[in-house]
Amino acid sequence: MATLEITGVRFEAGGRAILRDVNLAVAEEETVALLGPSGSGKTTLLRMVAGLDQPSAGSITFDGQDLRGVPAHRRGFGMMFQDHALFPHMDVAANVDFGLKQAGWPAAKREARRSEVLRLVGMEGFEWRSIERLSGGERQRIALARTLAPEPKLLMLDEPLGSLDRGLRERLASELREILGALRVPALYVTHDQFEAFTVADRLAIMNEGRVVRTGSPRELWDEPGTEFVARFLGMENILPAATVPGLAGESEATGDGLVLVRAEGALLADDPGPGVVSGTVVSLHFHGASTELRLRVAGTELSFELPSGSDLPAEGAVAHIRPPRIQRVEPGEGALL
Amino acid sequence: MRIDARTRAVWLALPALALIGLFLIYPLAEVLRVSFARGESLSPLFEDNYFAGRLWFSAWQAALSTALSLALAIPLAWVFACHRFPGKGTLEALLLVPFVLPTIVVAVAFTALVGPRGALNVALMKLPGVSNPPIDLMNTLWAILLAHVFYNAAFCARIIATNWRAIDPRTEDAARMLGAGARQRFLAVTLPQLRNGILAAGALAFLFCFTSFGVVLILGGPKYSTLETEIYRESLFLFRLPIAAILAIVQMAVTFSAVAISTRLQSRVPGGSHGRRESAFTRETLVAGSAVLVVAGLLTLAPLAALVERSLHAGDGYSLRYYTMLDENVRGQALFVAPIEAVRNSLVFAVCTALIALPVGGLAALAAVRARSTLVETLVQLPLGVSAVTLGLGLLISFDTPPLNLRASPALIVFAHSLVATPFVARTLTARLRSMDPRLRDAAAMLGAGPLTTFLRVELPMLSGALAVAATIAFATSMGEFGATLLIARPEYPTIPVAIYRYLGQPGATNFGQALAMSTILMAVTASAFFAITRAGGRDARF
């Protein structure tokens, strides 16, 4: 049973449509990542669910109850903000206690809960530290602890790892996955980083220009991007007209103007052209260690392949034949990203 | 709902708008009405170049004062923005002291330095063969210019230094790599980027000098007269209210333009810091840097030192006689009450002003930030555009007759002071509210806190520093207000500045000594308020 249901939500600000007809459901205990380029409306949607902004049209229900008119501080949801929004005039303990006090927890229970969440995020002993003296990663953990403390019925995380450097981000993303998994509440996770979304979420909702354009598990989306937009957003750039790939031309006569996605991972060199093989001129070779990126010009489009460095690679300017693991159809458009 | 909340927030500005409406707009409308009243002869305005002459003098003395202030301010900004040296913070704060001093104190301090009985002359007359005071800058343009530079240089330097720190130092490095020498780098790269800061500082300095009252009245004497001093003379001594009103309107046109220009320019002065590294002085820059600091230091400290020294010099030796005499009301003296009464009045008015201006200005700041309304913000700043004497004239005309006969009541003084202090309070708090992350309120809401709890537990604690600063500014503004108070204060309720001015107008060393003593007290109060602000408020202190 879906606990959070977003139906036909629209939002206009200053005459501009930020959200146009968003539909999304989040099931009990499910973590859904809202993934999309900046400006696609992810954070706005989060603020609608939080009650910090009100939709112009559409409905948001939680456990069947319409949330319209319920102010943010009465929804019982938790939100972790981008750049954390910790209260700078309070110490760690006071930040974590804030929500507990609002919820009327007695002092003894408060203290126990505070220790519990600080332990959960690995920050025991930081109670009396001032916020100003915490590092970026520490702030992130305290922000999470503060959000989790009052046991929110729904958790929202807005680019929680956005301001951290790459290595720390990857480590914390796995930790977040474990914490969210143990919590058993629905969660919405906003990010623009597909690897972070893959790590943390059970399901992805890809957003573009104010709409959810695709939902599915990370695996489903990776295997079948379906549209050019999703493919490009997941970092797959080998997209070209179906007609230019030999062996596909005949098969796709009915939709000769369609696009295909040539999967780059696990591609191998072929000796001859043929069905399922793309042929073109080698534009450049970039040595990456174990693999080498080979850029191939096929009918005016540049494709990129990762080939094992050990193989006998063709020289720049030579004609090469490559057999990708799969060539799959994608619908053009959905607002081309690049 | 968010839109509604924004609209609702505008109502928070209501007390401020009421204060401004009743004690600024209404009096100004009355000034306008009086200036158009028939039956009064306006012919004196056009006799002997009277009107054009005052306007011209106001403008050019202000322009010259501004140019001189900037000439000192730009090198001073260079010293403070680009260098580090021991005692820098203290020195920077010390040089800013003049800006927060009441004009009357500045005028008296310069009298104590360069007047006929001033410290400089007393020292020079000790030399053999000098019997008469060798320098007398009193009633000359030089005294006015010196006092204006004293007032504005460090303040301008502060604005320019802020701009300077925000310049990306890599632009200068790039110019250097492209072969530009120090001089070319400054002229072609740094100076153009400082333009807005210099212009904004200049516009403000011009505004202050154009409407300068106490300094011109006391140091310029009857020979020099700006629109501001003329409005005062016309209304209080010649009783030609229509003429005073017309002068006030012309002056307002100029001041509003200057305020509009400086506000716009100042919004374009970049803030923040680009990680500019402050370097120690090199062999070449040490001489220039020290020279700038010595000039600025002497200009700032000499008048203040002279004021204190002279106030302690009674008769032939040093004593506290002028201070101990403050609680006596010698019959026939300038005041109806003992001078100590003026001190008491000033303190009471200042506390009342802070109590009014803090909530009124604070709510207006909340309104401006919450509703994101530049209109509210601008309206609240209106009192800054009206000169003190014009305000006094307006209040004099408006509140003289029933139903609003407040002339006999000291409350009128408190309202006038609150009106003048509110823009500063609102400014300080607006800046602090703006710098607050708006998501902190969202975060509080997500943790279950309603709007009132959020205000009390999150916003108010974070505002406490700025509130202390604002309260201090309101207090100090009231203590030092001179122009408006001089017009509306009844003899029974003099404030310290009014009492000082009356003493200055009386002959004799004792009266002058009393003026010096009271000025020293006022200087001590305002300077300590200022240091309290810079120590406690830190980044919340904005002027």
Side-chain angles (χ1 to χ4, degrees), chain A residues 282-288 292-295 307 313-317:
Chain A
V282 178
V283 180
S284 60
L285 289 159
H286 298 287
F287 179 65
H288 288 173
T292 295
E293 185 196 5
L294 181 149
R295 294 191 72 87
L307 296 168
L313 296 171
E316 283 183 19

Side-chain angles (χ1 to χ4, degrees), chain B residues 419-460:
Chain B
L419 181 78
V420 178
T422 296
F424 293 110
V425 171
R427 229 177 226 213
T428 308
L429 296 177
T430 304
R432 182 66 188 99
L433 282 169
R434 284 249 162 82
S435 71
M436 236 183 246
D437 185 348
R439 276 171 314 181
L440 293 177
R441 293 177 66 207
D442 292 344
M446 292 314 294
L447 293 166
L452 188 65
T453 317
T454 305
F455 180 72
L456 293 178
R457 290 199 51 205
V458 177
E459 288 173 296
L460 209 53

Side-chain angles (χ1 to χ4, degrees), chain A:
Chain A
M1 177 196 128
T3 45
L4 176 73
E5 271 188 86
I6 302 167
T7 318
V9 162
R10 292 164 187 276
F11 181 65
E12 278 112 38
R16 210 167 66 86
I18 313 262
L19 294 179
R20 3 174 155 217
D21 197 21
V22 172
N23 296 289
L24 184 70
V26 182
E28 253 175 299
E29 302 186 17
E30 184 187 35
T31 300
V32 172
L34 295 172
L35 184 64
S38 53
S40 56
K42 304 172 304 244
T43 297
T44 309
L45 182 60
L46 218 58
R47 293 178 64 88
M48 304 276 138
V49 175
L52 295 170
D53 285 320
Q54 307 304 314
S56 321
S59 80
I60 299 172
T61 63
F62 189 77
D63 266 339
Q65 191 210 341
D66 194 338
L67 292 178
R68 187 192 311 268
V70 182
H73 59 280
R74 303 252 166 76
R75 291 192 179 188
F77 296 169
M79 175 131 142
M80 190 175 157
F81 291 83
Q82 198 175 359
D83 301 324
H84 320 317
L86 291 169
F87 302 128
H89 59 296
M90 301 179 184
D91 57 17
V92 166
N95 264 282
V96 175
D97 281 0
F98 190 95
L100 297 173
K101 276 192 192 154
Q102 293 312 314
W105 290 48
K109 273 186 78 188
R110 233 166 34 216
E111 214 163 297
R113 178 64 180 156
R114 186 211 304 149
S115 311
E116 189 184 341
V117 288
L118 286 178
R119 196 173 334 111
L120 184 68
V121 300
M123 295 288 284
E124 308 104 308
F126 277 69
E127 280 87 347
W128 315 116
R129 287 277 198 99
S130 102
I131 296 301
E132 255 111 42
R133 285 176 40 226
L134 298 179
S135 72
E138 287 166 349
R139 282 175 197 221
Q140 189 267 346
R141 287 161 191 268
I142 298 303
L144 182 62
R146 184 179 72 170
T147 311
L148 296 180
E151 299 178 340
K153 294 184 285 182
L154 169 82
L155 201 58
M156 284 169 279
L157 303 98
D158 187 3
E159 304 258 7
L161 307 180
S163 54
L164 306 177
D165 63 59
R166 181 96 222 168
L168 189 57
R169 217 156 76 191
E170 278 168 14
R171 211 176 69 235
L172 291 175
S174 321
E175 281 183 31
L176 263 179
R177 158 104 220 163
E178 276 170 40
I179 291 173
L180 292 181
L183 272 182
R184 310 187 157 271
V185 293
L188 273 172
Y189 189 105
V190 162
T191 178
H192 62 267
D193 182 318
Q194 70 263 29
F195 295 108
E196 203 177 304
F198 285 168
T199 309
V200 173
D202 300 311
R203 207 151 57 87
L204 307 183
I206 311 274
M207 289 192 73
N208 189 38
E209 294 183 349
R211 285 191 191 84
V212 172
V213 297
R214 183 82 195 278
T215 61
S217 72
R219 183 86 229 181
E220 280 164 6
L221 292 191
W222 183 259
D223 287 346
E224 292 294 337
T227 66
E228 184 187 1
F229 172 77
V230 173
R232 287 197 190 276
F233 193 74
L234 295 180
M236 308 168 186
E237 50 173 307
N238 294 348
I239 293 169
L240 69 173
T244 58
V245 181
L248 277 180
E251 178 200 316
S252 65
E253 246 164 355
T255 53
D257 55 345
L259 294 176
V260 291
L261 166 67
V262 180
R263 301 301 290 249
E265 63 281 0
L268 295 166
L269 282 173
D271 296 328
D272 304 298
V277 171
V278 285
S279 306
T281 318
V282 178
V283 180
S284 60
L285 289 159
H286 298 287
F287 179 65
H288 288 173
S291 68
T292 295
E293 185 196 5
L294 181 149
R295 294 191 72 87
L296 192 70
R297 184 184 300 280
V298 180
T301 311
E302 260 186 42
L303 305 183
S304 160
F305 297 96
E306 295 286 323
L307 296 168
S309 292
S311 50
D312 192 13
L313 296 171
E316 283 183 19
V319 170
H321 313 288
I322 289 175
R323 181 183 296 281
R326 280 173 79 197
I327 299 178
Q328 55 197 159
R329 300 198 158 276
V330 286
E331 294 295 323
E334 207 57 83
L337 174 67
L338 300 172

Side-chain angles (χ1 to χ4, degrees), chain B residues 158 290 311 313 413 436 507 527:
Chain B
R158 193 177 166 107
S290 321
S311 77
H313 195 98
I413 295 179
M436 236 183 246

